[in-house]
Amino acid sequence: MSDDSFRVLVVEERGGKRSVGLHDVRVADLPPGEVLVRVAYSTLNYKDGLAVTGKGKILRTNPMVPGIDFAGTVVESASPAYQPGDEVILTGWGVGERHWGGFSQMNRVKADWLVPLPAGLSLRRAMAIGTAGFTAMLCVQALERHGLGPTEREVVVTGAAGGVGSVAVALLARAGYNVVAATGRPAEADYLRGLGASAVIERAFFTNAGRALEGERWAAAVDTVGGPTLGGIFRSMAYQGVVAACGNAGGVEFTASVFPFILRGVRLVGVESVLVPPAERRVAWARIARDLPGALIDQMTEVIPLDAVPAYSETITNAQVRGRIVVDVNA
Ligand code: NDP
């Protein structure tokens, strides 16, 4: 990268043809904004996979730089909130969807969109958490806000070997819960136990035929899969159990009996991470930095260069990625 030019991954659709490739651009090409950031790392989330492959309508402008999150160092700031040299994190706000994304060595954004890197996290580990891990933290907080407290009962995480799932397993286990990991990849059982799961079950547990109410098992659930999996979770929720739903990797529609809701008082809480207010973001990131040891974060992380993003986008949308993929935009 010269002083002024830098590398970005661009997705472009022209004349019905879609292209994905690396380009050199200049700082003057960046959109206006208050804070210029030299990006160190981005990540590959499920949504990025959909955006890069075109399997989902994620990108709202054309051409577009995808990448829904990044971490880096402030170069220039028109906001008193940030000074050159500050290390910052960005997730959400439509970055990588309608605004210039994280698959770029530089970016310029609103100051309000940034969160200062919390003490105890490196830029690389912050992105190993990334949008997926931040969402997992929001799920844990939502469960606790809606009544999950110390319990002997199990807490289940679906899509456990994926990004949100891996971090949710680790966070819940560190918080002292008895975590069961539901996965379609039984070969990842040792990995999931290493993150703190006390048991691993087949994802089919939730989609097999069953009665409207089964035995009470789960005190809480983090569901990253949606669709029929989410519909199946309610059957074995314990009295006043709470489900945090954040994902749709397995479908967008579900049907469920009302009995778990009206006979057991089961609660369903939606979790979204894009527009979460800045103050809540700082609280969530501080708890991530406090609760997750670096070595545990490293266990779930693979680092790839920017030019590997297209291939890994296929992999993540085929549910073959384990844990979190960090993108080193300077490699
Ligand atoms: P990953 O691809 O890393 O993980 C998804 C996991 O879901 C897979 O690893 C797999 O887990 C499971 N899965 C995938 N396809 C199916 C299927 N057809 N049926 C059952 N299980 C399936 O994605 P992320 O962790 O990045 O994201 C997970 C979900 O959360 C996505 O839908 C994403 O869009 C959503 N999300 C939502 C956010 C929000 O703000 N609400 C923010 C971030 C993510 P396994 O192999 O273990 O079964």
Side-chain angles (χ1 to χ4, degrees), residues 45-47 131-132 135 159-165 182-185 203 224-225 229 246-250 271-274 316 319 321 323:
N45 295 275
Y46 182 78
K47 203 187 242 180
T131 299
T135 304
V164 179
T183 182
R185 290 179 279 174
R203 66 157 74 132
T224 75
V225 172
T229 299
C246 72
N248 62 345
V271 173
E272 85 83 41
S273 66
V274 175
I316 198 166
V321 155

Side-chain angles (χ1 to χ4, degrees), residues 23 26 39-40 46 60 70 72 93 118 120 125 129 135 137 167-168 171 206 210 218 233 249 279 285 311 320 324:
H23 294 247
R26 306 190 88 79
V39 177
Y46 182 78
R60 301 292 160 182
F70 65 80
W93 300 114
R125 284 181 176 151
I129 299 297
T135 304
M137 184 76 251
V167 183
L171 283 170
F206 296 105
W218 318 115
I233 286 174
W285 277 105
Q320 289 161 350
R324 296 281 299 135

Side-chain angles (χ1 to χ4, degrees), residues 30-324:
L30 285 169
E34 295 158 299
V35 186
L36 180 66
V37 179
R38 186 179 305 281
V39 177
Y41 299 99
S42 182
T43 84
L44 190 71
N45 295 275
Y46 182 78
K47 203 187 242 180
D48 299 314
L50 295 178
V52 172
T53 58
K55 290 178 186 175
K57 179 103 187 88
I58 304 293
L59 302 179
R60 301 292 160 182
T61 59
N62 180 32
M64 180 71 201
V65 178
I68 62 171
D69 45 23
F70 65 80
T73 306
V74 172
V75 177
E76 286 171 18
S77 173
S79 160
Y82 294 100
Q83 310 300 322
D86 288 350
E87 294 182 307
V88 291
I89 303 171
L90 183 144
T91 67
W93 300 114
V95 166
E97 297 182 59
R98 56 187 79 245
H99 306 293
W100 191 292
F103 297 152
S104 171
Q105 292 176 317
M106 302 289 288
N107 209 326
R108 190 156 42 207
V109 294
K110 287 188 181 171
D112 278 353
W113 292 355
L114 297 168
V115 172
L117 184 73
L121 269 187
S122 63
L123 292 173
R124 183 173 175 280
R125 284 181 176 151
M127 279 299 98
I129 299 297
T131 299
F134 174 63
T135 304
M137 184 76 251
L138 296 179
C139 287
V140 173
Q141 292 176 309
L143 295 179
E144 292 174 346
R145 243 191 346 267
H146 289 84
L148 177 64
T151 173
E152 295 296 304
R153 284 198 186 278
E154 295 162 310
V155 175
V156 68
V157 176
T158 62
V164 179
S166 292
V167 183
V169 167
L171 283 170
L172 287 163
R174 296 290 299 177
Y177 296 109
N178 182 3
V179 186
V180 173
T183 182
R185 290 179 279 174
E188 300 298 353
D190 286 346
Y191 162 75
L192 291 163
R193 287 203 179 85
L195 296 180
S198 56
V200 178
I201 61 170
E202 264 283 344
R203 66 157 74 132
F205 179 91
F206 296 105
T207 49
N208 289 337
R211 291 171 308 196
L213 284 177
E214 304 278 359
E216 293 182 57
R217 182 164 179 186
W218 318 115
V222 170
D223 176 55
T224 75
V225 172
T229 299
L230 177 57
I233 286 174
F234 303 117
R235 299 193 298 231
S236 34
M237 291 304 295
Y239 183 71
Q240 291 194 339
V242 51
V243 180
C246 72
N248 62 345
V252 291
E253 289 181 4
F254 67 92
T255 53
S257 162
V258 295
F259 287 138
F261 301 98
I262 64 176
L263 298 180
R264 290 185 182 163
V266 168
R267 283 158 280 196
L268 173 60
V269 187
V271 173
E272 85 83 41
S273 66
V274 175
L275 299 174
V276 178
E280 286 177 40
R281 288 171 188 261
R282 289 173 189 232
V283 172
W285 277 105
R287 183 163 165 197
I288 289 167
R290 190 195 68 199
D291 288 1
L292 277 189
L296 199 57
I297 298 175
D298 294 346
Q299 270 179 47
M300 54 177 110
T301 310
E302 183 181 351
V303 183
I304 62 169
L306 197 51
D307 64 7
V309 164
Y312 273 76
S313 295
E314 288 294 340
T315 314
I316 198 166
T317 51
N318 291 327
Q320 289 161 350
V321 155
R322 179 175 98 175
R324 296 281 299 135

